[in-house]
Amino acid sequence: MIPALMPTYNRADLAFERGEGAWLYTTDGRRFLDFAAGIATCSVGHANPHLVKTIAEQAAKVMHVSNLFRVPQAERLAARLVEATFADSVFFCNSGAEANEGMVKAVRRAQAKNGHPERMRIICFDGAFHGRTLGMLSATGNPTYLDGFGERAPGFDHVPLNNMNALRNAVTAETAGVMLEPVQGESGIKPADKRFLQELRTMCDEFGLYLAFDEVQTGVGRTGKLFAHEWAGVEPDIMSAAKGLGGGFPIGAILAREEIAKHLTPGTHGTTFGGNPLACAAANAVLDIILAPGFLDQVQKRAAFLDGLLDGLIADHPDVFSERRGLGLLIGLRCVPKVGDVMCAAQQQGLLTVSAGDNVLRLVPPLTITEQDCREAADRLRKAAEAIRAATLETAP
Ligand code: PLP
């Protein structure tokens, strides 16, 4: 019989009762080091006192009023994001996929209102992941995810990542913009080359195309900069954010230059829940922490420390791990055995991780992890690798 909770996920048989920092505790008292962080979402750790207090206080005052009224918490959050980025204006919604949908709408509408209604196509990249709505499934382009859901939404073309020739060849008179993750997450933690991003920016300017970054996973400090594109020194025209922005509270955002944002006039786009007082209070609390002086430097330092430990692990266990890649605390370890087996072995050692494509184990801990958390994680991965080796020797003929 089908479970009451629709079976859209293969869930581990673990139910957590509470968390603290980078640790999660089950009802039966077991504790797990959480390097999954709600899939790169619990950016400031579990039960972060500042976030908890802010949410509790806001919930006790007013949670939701709709966008028919001013929302001071949203105004403040938008102003802070504008201040910290390339953007002139921000739209709030509830998830990454919803932010990407709105981003594509904004790009198309700006082209149309600038006299180019024929420019409706968006160039995306092989291996992309932009979410599960009908539109974003088509932007993602992965046939497995599209199976059984009817015709693809029109208007999305795909080219290989980091290939300027292929990209230039794909531009037509109908192209409106280019959308990509600065580091592809779901397909295996694959960074776009810095030079590719710089040439992409030049190409977009040359052809009058809008450059749209999906920073749903890479944004809000995950890579050690507030947004990952800062590493390449390349600014987009529009960008999506979600995941880490609310620290576990659902919120998404579209950040855009005025040239694009000014066309999203009343009635052109909307959401009931998006940008409500509670979600924006939560995101403001997250920004209090992430924008505090020295916080992002600390993330970079922690990431470098963890990288060193992981490189040692790979050197000692080449039969289990073949490569480390990523940026900041968005880390991929390519596995030799099936990534699912490595993930299970890590879980048995009390370490939670996420799998990604290309047989990659994804490590996306809270940005607030300590050096001791990093040592514990490396130690647990080492024990997992030893357990895999022992099991392999046992089953060898
Ligand atoms: N874009 C990227 C890069 C993502 O990693 C994800 C989720 O993993 C999404 C979009 C979709 O976000 P959501 O699941 O919040 O709709």
Side-chain angles (χ1 to χ4, degrees), residues 91-118:
F91 176 90
F92 294 115
C93 53
N94 308 286
S95 70
E98 192 188 351
N100 286 336
E101 286 282 337
M103 182 156 80
V104 168
K105 281 178 72 179
V107 163
R108 288 182 176 173
R109 189 168 162 89
Q111 288 287 11
K113 294 294 153 186
N114 281 334
H116 291 292
E118 76 289 356

mmCIF file of all heavy atoms in Angstrom, residues 91-118:
data_model
loop_
_atom_site.group_PDB
_atom_site.id
_atom_site.type_symbol
_atom_site.label_atom_id
_atom_site.label_comp_id
_atom_site.label_asym_id
_atom_site.label_seq_id
_atom_site.Cartn_x
_atom_site.Cartn_y
_atom_site.Cartn_z
ATOM 1 N N PHE A 91 13.070 40.364 -6.015
ATOM 2 C CA PHE A 91 11.727 39.775 -5.869
ATOM 3 C C PHE A 91 11.872 38.549 -4.975
ATOM 4 O O PHE A 91 12.750 37.714 -5.209
ATOM 5 C CB PHE A 91 11.187 39.359 -7.248
ATOM 6 C CG PHE A 91 9.856 38.666 -7.204
ATOM 7 C CD1 PHE A 91 8.671 39.392 -7.283
ATOM 8 C CD2 PHE A 91 9.770 37.277 -7.085
ATOM 9 C CE1 PHE A 91 7.432 38.762 -7.225
ATOM 10 C CE2 PHE A 91 8.543 36.637 -7.027
ATOM 11 C CZ PHE A 91 7.371 37.386 -7.100
ATOM 12 N N PHE A 92 11.006 38.390 -3.983
ATOM 13 C CA PHE A 92 11.088 37.222 -3.107
ATOM 14 C C PHE A 92 10.006 36.198 -3.437
ATOM 15 O O PHE A 92 8.860 36.562 -3.728
ATOM 16 C CB PHE A 92 10.972 37.639 -1.635
ATOM 17 C CG PHE A 92 12.138 38.464 -1.185
ATOM 18 C CD1 PHE A 92 11.975 39.786 -0.811
ATOM 19 C CD2 PHE A 92 13.422 37.913 -1.172
ATOM 20 C CE1 PHE A 92 13.062 40.545 -0.411
ATOM 21 C CE2 PHE A 92 14.515 38.676 -0.772
ATOM 22 C CZ PHE A 92 14.338 39.999 -0.397
ATOM 23 N N CYS A 93 10.422 34.925 -3.368
ATOM 24 C CA CYS A 93 9.479 33.824 -3.577
ATOM 25 C C CYS A 93 9.812 32.734 -2.560
ATOM 26 O O CYS A 93 10.342 33.066 -1.488
ATOM 27 C CB CYS A 93 9.546 33.350 -5.022
ATOM 28 S SG CYS A 93 11.226 32.957 -5.558
ATOM 29 N N ASN A 94 9.533 31.478 -2.888
ATOM 30 C CA ASN A 94 9.582 30.451 -1.846
ATOM 31 C C ASN A 94 10.570 29.313 -2.063
ATOM 32 O O ASN A 94 10.765 28.507 -1.175
ATOM 33 C CB ASN A 94 8.183 29.835 -1.683
ATOM 34 C CG ASN A 94 7.157 30.914 -1.478
ATOM 35 O OD1 ASN A 94 7.079 31.505 -0.413
ATOM 36 N ND2 ASN A 94 6.397 31.223 -2.513
ATOM 37 N N SER A 95 11.139 29.216 -3.246
ATOM 38 C CA SER A 95 12.023 28.084 -3.524
ATOM 39 C C SER A 95 12.952 28.425 -4.679
ATOM 40 O O SER A 95 12.768 29.452 -5.358
ATOM 41 C CB SER A 95 11.205 26.847 -3.906
ATOM 42 O OG SER A 95 10.623 27.054 -5.185
ATOM 43 N N GLY A 96 13.909 27.528 -4.902
ATOM 44 C CA GLY A 96 14.859 27.730 -5.986
ATOM 45 C C GLY A 96 14.199 27.643 -7.353
ATOM 46 O O GLY A 96 14.433 28.485 -8.230
ATOM 47 N N ALA A 97 13.364 26.619 -7.535
ATOM 48 C CA ALA A 97 12.711 26.451 -8.834
ATOM 49 C C ALA A 97 11.826 27.655 -9.150
ATOM 50 O O ALA A 97 11.793 28.148 -10.284
ATOM 51 C CB ALA A 97 11.880 25.167 -8.841
ATOM 52 N N GLU A 98 11.141 28.148 -8.145
ATOM 53 C CA GLU A 98 10.246 29.292 -8.353
ATOM 54 C C GLU A 98 11.064 30.550 -8.703
ATOM 55 O O GLU A 98 10.647 31.355 -9.541
ATOM 56 C CB GLU A 98 9.411 29.518 -7.087
ATOM 57 C CG GLU A 98 8.268 30.491 -7.298
ATOM 58 C CD GLU A 98 7.556 30.855 -5.994
ATOM 59 O OE1 GLU A 98 7.821 30.247 -4.945
ATOM 60 O OE2 GLU A 98 6.742 31.790 -6.036
ATOM 61 N N ALA A 99 12.226 30.696 -8.057
ATOM 62 C CA ALA A 99 13.100 31.832 -8.383
ATOM 63 C C ALA A 99 13.583 31.726 -9.829
ATOM 64 O O ALA A 99 13.594 32.717 -10.573
ATOM 65 C CB ALA A 99 14.282 31.876 -7.425
ATOM 66 N N ASN A 100 13.944 30.514 -10.254
ATOM 67 C CA ASN A 100 14.425 30.344 -11.629
ATOM 68 C C ASN A 100 13.314 30.579 -12.654
ATOM 69 O O ASN A 100 13.553 31.153 -13.716
ATOM 70 C CB ASN A 100 15.024 28.945 -11.805
ATOM 71 C CG ASN A 100 16.381 28.837 -11.130
ATOM 72 O OD1 ASN A 100 17.071 29.838 -10.931
ATOM 73 N ND2 ASN A 100 16.769 27.629 -10.774
ATOM 74 N N GLU A 101 12.103 30.112 -12.347
ATOM 75 C CA GLU A 101 10.960 30.382 -13.243
ATOM 76 C C GLU A 101 10.798 31.890 -13.439
ATOM 77 O O GLU A 101 10.640 32.377 -14.560
ATOM 78 C CB GLU A 101 9.666 29.838 -12.630
ATOM 79 C CG GLU A 101 9.506 28.340 -12.658
ATOM 80 C CD GLU A 101 9.085 27.809 -14.026
ATOM 81 O OE1 GLU A 101 8.509 28.576 -14.834
ATOM 82 O OE2 GLU A 101 9.356 26.624 -14.285
ATOM 83 N N GLY A 102 10.811 32.605 -12.300
ATOM 84 C CA GLY A 102 10.631 34.056 -12.364
ATOM 85 C C GLY A 102 11.778 34.719 -13.105
ATOM 86 O O GLY A 102 11.592 35.711 -13.820
ATOM 87 N N MET A 103 12.969 34.165 -12.935
ATOM 88 C CA MET A 103 14.153 34.726 -13.609
ATOM 89 C C MET A 103 14.000 34.606 -15.127
ATOM 90 O O MET A 103 14.268 35.570 -15.862
ATOM 91 C CB MET A 103 15.399 33.980 -13.111
ATOM 92 C CG MET A 103 16.690 34.481 -13.670
ATOM 93 S SD MET A 103 18.088 34.074 -12.589
ATOM 94 C CE MET A 103 18.389 32.362 -13.043
ATOM 95 N N VAL A 104 13.555 33.447 -15.582
ATOM 96 C CA VAL A 104 13.362 33.261 -17.026
ATOM 97 C C VAL A 104 12.238 34.178 -17.534
ATOM 98 O O VAL A 104 12.355 34.801 -18.600
ATOM 99 C CB VAL A 104 13.080 31.772 -17.357
ATOM 100 C CG1 VAL A 104 12.605 31.602 -18.788
ATOM 101 C CG2 VAL A 104 14.326 30.940 -17.102
ATOM 102 N N LYS A 105 11.169 34.286 -16.773
ATOM 103 C CA LYS A 105 10.085 35.208 -17.168
ATOM 104 C C LYS A 105 10.618 36.633 -17.302
ATOM 105 O O LYS A 105 10.310 37.351 -18.262
ATOM 106 C CB LYS A 105 8.950 35.190 -16.127
ATOM 107 C CG LYS A 105 8.002 34.006 -16.242
ATOM 108 C CD LYS A 105 6.933 34.034 -15.147
ATOM 109 C CE LYS A 105 5.887 35.121 -15.349
ATOM 110 N NZ LYS A 105 4.848 35.108 -14.271
ATOM 111 N N ALA A 106 11.421 37.056 -16.319
ATOM 112 C CA ALA A 106 11.945 38.426 -16.315
ATOM 113 C C ALA A 106 12.832 38.678 -17.533
ATOM 114 O O ALA A 106 12.741 39.732 -18.179
ATOM 115 C CB ALA A 106 12.716 38.674 -15.027
ATOM 116 N N VAL A 107 13.681 37.704 -17.848
ATOM 117 C CA VAL A 107 14.585 37.837 -19.005
ATOM 118 C C VAL A 107 13.772 37.961 -20.293
ATOM 119 O O VAL A 107 14.002 38.844 -21.125
ATOM 120 C CB VAL A 107 15.550 36.617 -19.073
ATOM 121 C CG1 VAL A 107 16.205 36.500 -20.438
ATOM 122 C CG2 VAL A 107 16.599 36.725 -17.975
ATOM 123 N N ARG A 108 12.779 37.084 -20.451
ATOM 124 C CA ARG A 108 11.961 37.111 -21.673
ATOM 125 C C ARG A 108 11.197 38.429 -21.783
ATOM 126 O O ARG A 108 11.138 39.042 -22.849
ATOM 127 C CB ARG A 108 10.976 35.937 -21.678
ATOM 128 C CG ARG A 108 11.657 34.617 -21.923
ATOM 129 C CD ARG A 108 10.639 33.491 -21.972
ATOM 130 N NE ARG A 108 11.282 32.220 -22.307
ATOM 131 C CZ ARG A 108 10.671 31.061 -22.285
ATOM 132 N NH1 ARG A 108 9.405 30.975 -21.938
ATOM 133 N NH2 ARG A 108 11.321 29.958 -22.617
ATOM 134 N N ARG A 109 10.627 38.860 -20.676
ATOM 135 C CA ARG A 109 9.802 40.072 -20.720
ATOM 136 C C ARG A 109 10.657 41.308 -21.024
ATOM 137 O O ARG A 109 10.240 42.178 -21.789
ATOM 138 C CB ARG A 109 9.063 40.246 -19.404
ATOM 139 C CG ARG A 109 8.026 41.351 -19.483
ATOM 140 C CD ARG A 109 7.105 41.343 -18.306
ATOM 141 N NE ARG A 109 6.441 42.633 -18.209
ATOM 142 C CZ ARG A 109 5.297 42.944 -18.804
ATOM 143 N NH1 ARG A 109 4.650 42.033 -19.513
ATOM 144 N NH2 ARG A 109 4.780 44.151 -18.684
ATOM 145 N N ALA A 110 11.854 41.369 -20.439
ATOM 146 C CA ALA A 110 12.723 42.522 -20.697
ATOM 147 C C ALA A 110 13.104 42.566 -22.177
ATOM 148 O O ALA A 110 13.118 43.635 -22.797
ATOM 149 C CB ALA A 110 13.959 42.452 -19.806
ATOM 150 N N GLN A 111 13.401 41.399 -22.749
ATOM 151 C CA GLN A 111 13.711 41.374 -24.189
ATOM 152 C C GLN A 111 12.496 41.845 -24.996
ATOM 153 O O GLN A 111 12.621 42.664 -25.911
ATOM 154 C CB GLN A 111 14.116 39.958 -24.635
ATOM 155 C CG GLN A 111 15.486 39.496 -24.147
ATOM 156 C CD GLN A 111 16.658 40.170 -24.849
ATOM 157 O OE1 GLN A 111 16.498 41.141 -25.587
ATOM 158 N NE2 GLN A 111 17.866 39.658 -24.595
ATOM 159 N N ALA A 112 11.319 41.327 -24.648
ATOM 160 C CA ALA A 112 10.101 41.683 -25.389
ATOM 161 C C ALA A 112 9.826 43.183 -25.305
ATOM 162 O O ALA A 112 9.518 43.833 -26.306
ATOM 163 C CB ALA A 112 8.907 40.894 -24.844
ATOM 164 N N LYS A 113 9.948 43.722 -24.101
ATOM 165 C CA LYS A 113 9.626 45.146 -23.905
ATOM 166 C C LYS A 113 10.699 46.056 -24.488
ATOM 167 O O LYS A 113 10.458 47.237 -24.714
ATOM 168 C CB LYS A 113 9.438 45.447 -22.399
ATOM 169 C CG LYS A 113 8.242 44.749 -21.796
ATOM 170 C CD LYS A 113 6.938 45.287 -22.389
ATOM 171 C CE LYS A 113 5.832 44.271 -22.340
ATOM 172 N NZ LYS A 113 4.594 44.679 -23.007
ATOM 173 N N ASN A 114 11.888 45.492 -24.735
ATOM 174 C CA ASN A 114 12.951 46.266 -25.391
ATOM 175 C C ASN A 114 12.892 46.121 -26.914
ATOM 176 O O ASN A 114 13.863 46.423 -27.603
ATOM 177 C CB ASN A 114 14.332 45.823 -24.884
ATOM 178 C CG ASN A 114 14.634 46.431 -23.523
ATOM 179 O OD1 ASN A 114 14.103 47.484 -23.177
ATOM 180 N ND2 ASN A 114 15.471 45.764 -22.746
ATOM 181 N N GLY A 115 11.770 45.616 -27.410
ATOM 182 C CA GLY A 115 11.589 45.541 -28.862
ATOM 183 C C GLY A 115 12.020 44.230 -29.485
ATOM 184 O O GLY A 115 12.159 44.133 -30.708
ATOM 185 N N HIS A 116 12.270 43.213 -28.661
ATOM 186 C CA HIS A 116 12.687 41.914 -29.218
ATOM 187 C C HIS A 116 11.770 40.788 -28.757
ATOM 188 O O HIS A 116 12.214 39.863 -28.055
ATOM 189 C CB HIS A 116 14.129 41.609 -28.811
ATOM 190 C CG HIS A 116 15.127 42.487 -29.462
ATOM 191 N ND1 HIS A 116 15.390 42.444 -30.819
ATOM 192 C CD2 HIS A 116 15.907 43.462 -28.951
ATOM 193 C CE1 HIS A 116 16.305 43.335 -31.111
ATOM 194 N NE2 HIS A 116 16.637 43.985 -30.012
ATOM 195 N N PRO A 117 10.490 40.801 -29.143
ATOM 196 C CA PRO A 117 9.579 39.736 -28.701
ATOM 197 C C PRO A 117 9.982 38.367 -29.256
ATOM 198 O O PRO A 117 9.548 37.338 -28.734
ATOM 199 C CB PRO A 117 8.220 40.184 -29.259
ATOM 200 C CG PRO A 117 8.533 41.130 -30.365
ATOM 201 C CD PRO A 117 9.830 41.790 -29.999
ATOM 202 N N GLU A 118 10.802 38.361 -30.290
ATOM 203 C CA GLU A 118 11.239 37.071 -30.858
ATOM 204 C C GLU A 118 12.313 36.413 -29.986
ATOM 205 O O GLU A 118 12.588 35.218 -30.099
ATOM 206 C CB GLU A 118 11.746 37.263 -32.300
ATOM 207 C CG GLU A 118 13.134 37.899 -32.468
ATOM 208 C CD GLU A 118 13.203 39.404 -32.118
ATOM 209 O OE1 GLU A 118 12.143 39.989 -31.804
ATOM 210 O OE2 GLU A 118 14.310 39.962 -32.140
#
